[in-house]
Structure formats: structure tokens, C-alpha cells
Amino acid sequence: MNKLKGKIVVITGASSGIGRSIGILGKVADQSIEEIESVTSTNYFGMIYCTKAFLTSMLRKKSGHIINVASLAASFGLPGLAAYCGSKFAMLGFSESLQHELHGTGVSVTVVSPIGVKTNFFHHQSFGNRFKSKERFYLNPHTVSGAIIKASTSNRLEIVVPFFMRGGVWLKHTIPYLVNPIVGASFRKIVEGKG
């Protein structure tokens, strides 16, 4: 941890218990504008407000690390979670653009993108018990916290947790015509209460 001495580290968007990330399950046609705005405001604009609050100080000190906790949903559009996925896609795009802007300033940006985490994220009434059978795949918040700590000294743009899911992201970007129908079908079953 000596590498962090005197360095400002800002962590945003953490659904791992450090902050609050929200999602509301439902089809876009069935959601209100207010529900979609709520998800976007919390997950995306909350990250921007936090970044802006600390960025000037970091630039002045020529030191700092912004860690934005997104989700694997930053790489996969999932039926029933369009607003959530859109907010996480936006976080990843914003972070990548910001990383380019900050080149050579001493300030870094890293995105931590975990799969589902054992938090109260799925406790929103819209989820019901639809994801109950998937809980065994959720990450322990301590695993994500460990990745966040590692990210604080990393030069990488994105750290996917667990690491092997990076292969899924690679496949999605390499052969989307095969991966997208599989992901879409499996999540549609969940949204429709059949999965």
C-alpha cells in the first residue's frame, strides 16, 4: 500500500457495498421515464459528479486514480436491463475517453467490471425471485473489493472480475452473431419468469 501514500483514489459506482448502483428489471416499453432516469442518474451521472468533484485537485497534484466500478453489463446488453446496461456502457465509454484525456497528467482511470455481486442490488421489487437460482454464481463483495484495491495501482483501463470472464467479453466482441443470441435468449427467459 506504500504506492498509494499521498495519492487521491476516487471510487465511484460501486454496487459492491462501497457505493450504490441500481437496476430495475423490466422491458423499456413497460418502464417509466422516471425509472430509466433514476438508474441513469445514479449509475452514470453519479460517477461523473464524483469524478468532477476530485479531478481538479488530482490534476493540480499530478497524482490520483479514478476507479469506476461498472459491471460486466458494460459489455453485454441484457434484455430487461436496458437502462442499467446503458448506464454501465456509458461508464466504460466515459472512462476510456477520460483516460485518453488524462494521458501524461499523473492521473489514471480504471474500470472494475464484475459479474453479479452478493449485495442488495437484486432486492428491488422488480426482480422478484427471478435471479434467486443464479445467486450461487454471484461474487463475494470482498472479491470485488480486492479487485478495486489492485486497480488502484493498475495502468489497465478495465479489470474484469473474475478474470476468466474477459474471455466472454472477447468472444462477444469477436463473434457477436453467435454470442448475442445465446445471451439474449437466456436473459429473456429470466425476464419472462421462465429461467
Side-chain angles (χ1 to χ4, degrees):
M1 283 291 144
N2 285 337
K3 289 181 182 179
L4 296 179
K5 194 170 186 174
K7 187 177 192 179
I8 299 171
V9 177
V10 176
I11 302 167
T12 74
S15 60
S16 58
I18 294 167
R20 184 166 181 254
S21 182
I22 65 167
I24 300 172
L25 184 68
K27 294 179 180 180
V28 172
D30 300 332
Q31 290 182 332
S32 69
I33 289 294
E34 292 77 19
E35 288 174 316
I36 295 168
E37 284 179 349
S38 173
V39 172
T40 304
S41 292
T42 301
N43 297 347
Y44 179 60
F45 286 109
M47 179 260 322
I48 290 174
Y49 297 147
C50 195
T51 299
K52 289 289 289 172
F54 290 94
L55 186 58
T56 302
S57 178
M58 291 175 157
L59 289 169
R60 190 172 40 253
K61 293 180 180 189
K62 297 181 180 173
S63 175
H65 203 121
I66 299 164
I67 302 168
N68 294 323
V69 181
S71 165
L72 202 57
S75 296
F76 292 88
L78 306 172
L81 290 170
Y84 178 76
C85 293
S87 70
K88 297 303 182 171
F89 269 75
M91 285 180 76
L92 185 56
F94 178 90
S95 299
E96 183 175 353
S97 296
L98 183 60
Q99 182 191 49
H100 290 303
E101 291 178 16
L102 296 174
H103 179 77
T105 66
V107 180
S108 304
V109 180
T110 301
V111 177
V112 175
S113 295
I115 58 170
V117 182
K118 292 177 187 170
T119 64
N120 61 0
F121 177 84
F122 293 104
H123 294 177
H124 187 275
Q125 64 189 18
S126 64
F127 288 96
N129 287 323
R130 290 186 179 107
F131 284 83
K132 199 83 171 149
S133 66
K134 310 294 183 223
E135 286 180 351
R136 66 185 181 277
F137 300 112
Y138 297 168
L139 295 174
N140 183 304
H142 297 291
T143 302
V144 179
S145 297
I148 292 168
I149 291 168
K150 287 179 184 173
S152 68
T153 58
S154 174
N155 292 324
R156 293 174 52 195
L157 170 63
E158 185 180 25
I159 296 173
V160 175
V161 186
F163 74 93
F164 60 81
M165 289 306 295
R166 168 61 62 203
V169 174
W170 180 83
L171 284 171
K172 193 260 184 182
H173 290 293
T174 306
I175 49 173
Y177 50 88
L178 293 178
V179 175
N180 285 344
I182 295 167
V183 171
S186 66
F187 275 83
R188 272 192 303 279
K189 286 180 186 175
I190 293 169
V191 172
E192 294 164 2
K194 300 174 187 174

